[in-house]
Amino acid sequence: MTDSLVENCRGNNDDDHHQEVTDSFYFELKENSPSQTYIGKIATKPGFTYRFNDDPVEFHLDPSTGVITTTDVAVDRESKDSYNLVILSSSPTYPIEVRIRIIDVNDNAPWWPATIQTNVSFSESAPVGTKVIIDNAIDLDSGLLSYSIDPVNDGSLYSSVLPFKLNFNSSTSFLHLEVCSKLDRELQSNYLVNITAIDEDQHSSFAIFNIRILDSNDNPPIFDHSDYSVSLNESTGKDVTILQVRATDADEDENDNSRISYYLGVDNEDFLIDSGTGSISIAHDGPIRCGTTTEKLMNENWRICVFTVFAHDHGVPRQDGRTYVTAKIYDTNNHAPIIKFRFFSKSNIVASVDENAANGSVAAAASVLDYDQGPNGQTTIEIADGNQLTHFRLESFGNSHIIRVNGILDREKVPKYNLTIRAYDHGVPSRSTTANLIIVVQDTNDHAPTFSERLYETSITENENQIGMFVYALQATDLDEGINSQVYYSLSGSNSHYFKIDATSGLITTDQLIDREEIDLFELRVTARDGGSNPKWANTTLKVKILDVNDQIPIIELSPKYQSNNPRMFNVQVQNDQILDLDLIVKDNDLGNNGTVTVNILYDYERLFRFDHETMKLISTQSLTIDNHCSFYQLMVEARDQAPEVNLEKRDYIRDNITRPLKSTMIL
């Protein structure tokens, strides 16, 4: 009985009279224990009887002693691993809780579900350490399983050493199939393995897994021969097949890794290849240009042409193979010389040279090709036309020819030269060809900008309410071209900050409000600079006269001794029986009629007072006495300039240029 029971309870004592009643007990029981197996005993009180609240079929409770035993109904941990029971007594007390934990017995063997995936694949390029998760075996018992892997002997010649191992992670319960050595599909493409699951008591079960090695594109195409040879006449016609090459690929058949296409190098102009069959044919009508002649073959009528044939598969990454074709080309005297130019400028169309280039500077290089052999392929080159000014010369060094500057160039006189270059071979009869060499003379910054005048004059009205008003548009010219002829403008001078100039257009506008009464004439220094790396400059002067606008109000003032608290009122005292003889200060800073002021007395007390415009005095026409029954006179004096009136109907048209009279008043 002790093998079936592990007891752990509180208040468990054989002396019923000294037992302490406990409301919670915990017992353990091995699964499949026989009937009448002792499980445990609860604490009881004399005279009390006990029963299960819900009678479990698996257990029996002695109502008097409190002993719990098993019945003939087996306890299976895989069906239920614990029981929570409530025991009640005959006298109302707190219920007693009993928890019975079922201890596992290894009574189940591992097994593999029929639904597991037994087909596994790895790429042959998978590195060592690559893992895939495979399905686990199932064991209803507790405890961990271990696994082993072995090859299945199917009678093949494949190696019995597996490149795989099993890796079981007990913390995650994942079973990994791991690559432990390099895979090569071309050596073995399939593995049949037996994976066995084993529990702690060596109960086991196995499953057969099929491991397929997937092809990686790890083999390049290989040609049947490392090089091929063929002989042909240089005048062989277009589309004539001269050779067929063949390559094979060791990767898996009938997929992109082993499907082969053929191609030629990009510099091959004479031959074509069928990408599917490897058949090589002539690309064009006329002579074959491929081939070189060594010094040993100078007097022979044939030459050697070597070109590369490539084969590539369609896998990823793509693999390429190559072979070489050596063609012996037999010559006929059917080629004219071919002139090719090499330029040392950015342009691939024309040559260029700076206009200040020194005598002997290189303008271009020329080479002559003649695919014939012997004297038929030997050539001479010359400048045939376009060099009447002898500004260029041609120097030859073997088959290298240099066109050099032979004089002083001036782009402004001759911006471009068109030289006719002629090459002829030494055959009989001789074949010749011509080519045109365009040489563009590049500008250098040898001209400064120029203004048409040394002094420019203009006038504007003072612009009390305008900024950005047009003043003048200056333009300088430069005989250079490109960036050397681009002109940029700037202003300087003591008062140049009143104006600004557009750096590219030369347009001058006002940048501040201008008051003629402060400055009536500006003298601006305008500078033009070209865009060359060593810029050249030009200067001119612009005089701007400021025209008057009637913007000044006439002012009437007296000596400060007459000033009152009101700046427009003055107090003047005259002795009894004296004539008023008062000097007025009248001024207007405008010009012409705008600054010509008339003074009027708005009420003169029946001509008792008048203003003398010659002496600028306010006088009385008679002596002022108190007997005149008036001891105080208040005079309102008005000063008005002579600016012309403007028809109000025309104001919308002349806008800010409206001229109108201005006036002010003074009270005495």
Side-chain angles (χ1 to χ4, degrees):
M1 290 179 64
T2 58
D3 291 339
S4 303
L5 174 65
V6 177
E7 182 177 19
N8 180 15
C9 65
R10 291 177 296 168
N12 185 14
N13 194 321
D14 290 338
D15 187 354
D16 292 343
H17 297 286
H18 295 88
Q19 288 179 343
E20 295 180 2
V21 177
T22 305
D23 59 358
S24 177
F25 292 87
Y26 172 83
F27 304 106
E28 292 182 347
L29 174 70
K30 290 184 178 180
E31 66 172 328
N32 299 324
S33 295
S35 176
Q36 303 300 316
T37 297
Y38 177 86
I39 298 173
K41 182 176 182 299
I42 65 172
T44 61
K45 290 184 178 182
F48 282 64
T49 60
Y50 298 88
R51 63 180 177 84
F52 286 121
N53 183 42
D54 291 318
D55 278 337
V57 297
E58 297 91 343
F59 306 108
H60 172 74
L61 172 66
D62 187 292
S64 300
T65 65
V67 174
I68 302 173
T69 59
T70 60
T71 67
D72 55 0
V73 177
V75 176
D76 186 6
R77 188 199 65 83
E78 286 72 41
S79 298
K80 190 172 183 178
D81 61 358
S82 66
Y83 292 84
N84 293 309
L85 307 176
V86 176
I87 297 177
L88 303 177
S89 68
S90 57
S91 178
T93 59
Y94 291 108
I96 299 171
E97 296 179 355
V98 176
R99 183 173 184 269
I100 301 175
R101 176 176 172 267
I102 308 304
I103 299 173
D104 183 54
V105 175
N106 192 8
D107 56 349
N108 293 282
W111 59 282
W112 297 86
T115 57
I116 66 170
Q117 177 57 257
T118 58
N119 292 316
V120 182
S121 61
F122 285 92
S123 170
E124 67 173 320
S125 62
V128 172
T130 300
K131 300 177 183 178
V132 296
I133 298 175
I134 61 176
D135 292 327
N136 299 36
I138 296 175
D139 191 330
L140 298 178
D141 294 320
S142 62
L144 298 176
L145 296 177
S146 61
Y147 293 88
S148 65
I149 181 171
D150 299 287
V152 174
N153 187 1
D154 59 356
S156 67
L157 299 178
Y158 291 145
S159 172
S160 61
V161 178
L162 293 176
F164 306 101
K165 66 179 180 180
L166 294 175
N167 189 331
F168 180 68
N169 190 324
S170 59
S171 62
T172 63
S173 297
F174 285 150
L175 178 61
H176 294 92
L177 183 62
E178 180 179 345
V179 177
C180 61
S181 61
K182 180 174 174 56
L183 304 177
D184 190 340
R185 188 205 64 83
E186 286 72 38
L187 294 179
Q188 185 167 347
S189 61
N190 197 75
Y191 294 86
L192 201 62
V193 299
N194 183 340
I195 297 180
T196 303
I198 308 168
D199 67 14
E200 294 173 348
D201 289 337
Q202 300 303 306
H203 299 134
S204 64
S205 176
F206 70 88
I208 303 299
F209 283 75
N210 182 38
I211 305 174
R212 182 186 174 201
I213 308 304
L214 303 179
D215 185 45
S216 292
N217 194 25
D218 56 349
N219 291 283
I222 303 297
F223 282 93
D224 292 346
H225 303 282
S226 60
D227 59 86
Y228 295 80
S229 298
V230 65
S231 297
L232 65 153
N233 192 293
E234 68 173 350
S235 59
T236 302
K238 180 181 179 182
D239 297 331
V240 175
T241 299
I242 62 170
L243 182 66
Q244 184 174 16
V245 297
R246 180 177 179 271
T248 56
D249 194 306
D251 287 316
E252 187 174 10
D253 293 337
E254 299 180 358
N255 70 16
D256 286 344
N257 292 341
S258 61
R259 183 164 60 90
I260 295 176
S261 294
Y262 301 92
Y263 66 99
L264 300 177
V266 295
D267 295 332
N268 196 314
E269 299 177 352
D270 294 300
F271 303 100
L272 297 174
I273 190 168
D274 187 294
S275 62
T277 65
S279 294
I280 301 174
S281 59
I282 304 300
H284 55 78
D285 289 321
I288 299 172
R289 293 182 290 273
C290 173
T292 58
T293 301
T294 64
E295 184 177 353
K296 183 178 179 180
L297 301 176
M298 285 298 293
N299 297 318
E300 300 291 342
N301 66 340
W302 54 271
R303 63 188 183 277
I304 297 298
C305 174
V306 179
F307 58 92
T308 307
V309 179
F310 297 91
H312 73 84
D313 59 30
H314 292 260
V316 177
R318 193 178 91 170
Q319 298 275 10
D320 289 79
R322 70 175 64 190
T323 188
Y324 299 95
V325 175
T326 301
K328 180 184 283 188
I329 312 296
Y330 287 90
D331 180 63
T332 58
N333 188 18
N334 56 356
H335 296 90
I338 299 171
I339 301 174
K340 292 186 177 181
F341 296 114
R342 181 184 176 191
F343 307 124
F344 301 98
S345 60
K346 295 181 180 179
S347 172
N348 291 323
I349 301 175
V350 297
S352 64
V353 63
D354 290 342
E355 64 175 321
N356 61 350
N359 194 333
S361 298
V362 176
S367 60
V368 181
L369 300 178
D370 193 316
Y371 293 104
D372 292 319
Q373 303 295 311
N376 294 334
Q378 297 174 5
T379 60
T380 299
I381 187 172
E382 63 184 4
I383 301 176
D385 195 14
N387 196 30
Q388 287 79 3
L389 299 176
T390 65
H391 284 172
F392 297 92
R393 66 178 183 269
L394 190 148
E395 297 177 356
S396 296
F397 305 93
N399 196 39
S400 298
H401 312 281
I402 304 295
I403 294 91
R404 297 182 182 274
V405 175
N406 195 47
I408 298 175
L409 306 179
D410 189 341
R411 186 199 65 83
E412 286 72 34
K413 292 181 179 179
V414 183
K416 181 171 65 175
Y417 295 84
N418 185 354
L419 304 183
T420 300
I421 308 299
R422 176 176 175 268
Y424 57 91
D425 62 29
H426 297 173
V428 179
S430 176
R431 288 180 173 270
S432 65
T433 188
T434 60
N436 289 94
L437 174 62
I438 306 298
I439 302 177
V440 175
V441 181
Q442 297 286 354
D443 182 55
T444 57
N445 194 20
D446 55 351
H447 291 85
T450 58
F451 290 99
S452 60
E453 303 289 343
R454 297 185 61 182
L455 175 65
Y456 296 86
E457 294 184 297
T458 187
S459 61
I460 60 172
T461 57
E462 57 180 328
N463 52 333
E464 182 179 2
N465 298 308
Q466 294 187 36
I467 293 178
M469 184 172 66
F470 172 80
V471 177
Y472 205 82
L474 278 173
Q475 186 173 15
T477 57
D478 193 311
L479 295 179
D480 292 316
E481 66 176 3
I483 193 171
N484 293 333
S485 66
Q486 294 179 6
V487 179
Y488 303 92
Y489 301 91
S490 62
L491 288 177
S492 60
S494 59
N495 292 310
S496 60
H497 58 279
Y498 280 89
F499 303 88
K500 67 178 179 179
I501 187 168
D502 187 282
T504 55
S505 68
L507 179 66
I508 300 174
T509 56
T510 57
D511 198 36
Q512 294 188 24
L513 295 178
I514 297 177
D515 189 351
R516 187 206 60 79
E517 286 71 37
E518 294 181 3
I519 305 175
D520 60 357
L521 180 65
F522 292 87
E523 187 168 311
L524 306 177
R525 179 184 175 89
V526 183
T527 300
R529 172 185 60 84
D530 63 29
S533 57
N534 292 312
K536 294 184 179 296
W537 310 77
N539 297 290
T540 190
T541 301
L542 173 65
K543 289 186 176 181
V544 183
K545 181 180 180 181
I546 309 303
L547 302 179
D548 185 57
V549 172
N550 190 27
D551 56 351
Q552 300 293 313
I553 298 175
I555 298 174
I556 308 174
E557 295 179 345
L558 293 180
S559 173
K561 66 180 181 179
Y562 302 115
Q563 185 71 52
S564 66
N565 292 332
N566 188 331
R568 305 309 302 161
M569 295 189 69
F570 298 88
N571 296 318
V572 179
Q573 293 184 356
V574 181
Q575 296 295 323
N576 186 37
D577 200 22
Q578 295 291 322
I579 293 176
L580 175 64
D581 186 359
L582 185 63
D583 290 318
L584 296 185
I585 302 172
V586 180
K587 58 184 177 180
D588 189 321
N589 291 330
D590 289 319
L591 297 178
N593 290 336
N594 297 337
T596 302
V597 180
T598 60
V599 178
N600 296 307
I601 302 173
L602 298 184
Y603 179 69
D604 58 4
Y605 290 90
E606 296 181 354
R607 299 183 180 181
L608 179 59
F609 299 96
R610 70 180 183 84
F611 179 75
D612 189 328
H613 284 85
E614 294 182 0
T615 62
M616 302 299 290
K617 290 179 177 290
L618 179 64
I619 59 177
S620 60
T621 57
Q622 62 183 40
S623 299
L624 302 178
T625 62
I626 298 177
D627 295 341
N628 291 337
H629 305 293
C630 183
S631 62
F632 174 81
Y633 298 91
Q634 182 170 328
L635 301 180
M636 182 173 291
V637 180
E638 176 190 73
R640 179 189 294 264
D641 63 31
Q642 300 302 304
E645 292 282 356
V646 176
N647 189 338
L648 294 179
E649 295 179 357
K650 296 181 179 179
R651 286 196 175 187
D652 287 339
Y653 296 95
I654 59 179
R655 299 178 68 83
D656 293 333
N657 291 327
I658 292 174
T659 302
R660 59 190 182 277
L662 299 178
K663 63 182 180 179
S664 63
T665 58
M666 179 186 71
I667 301 174
L668 293 173

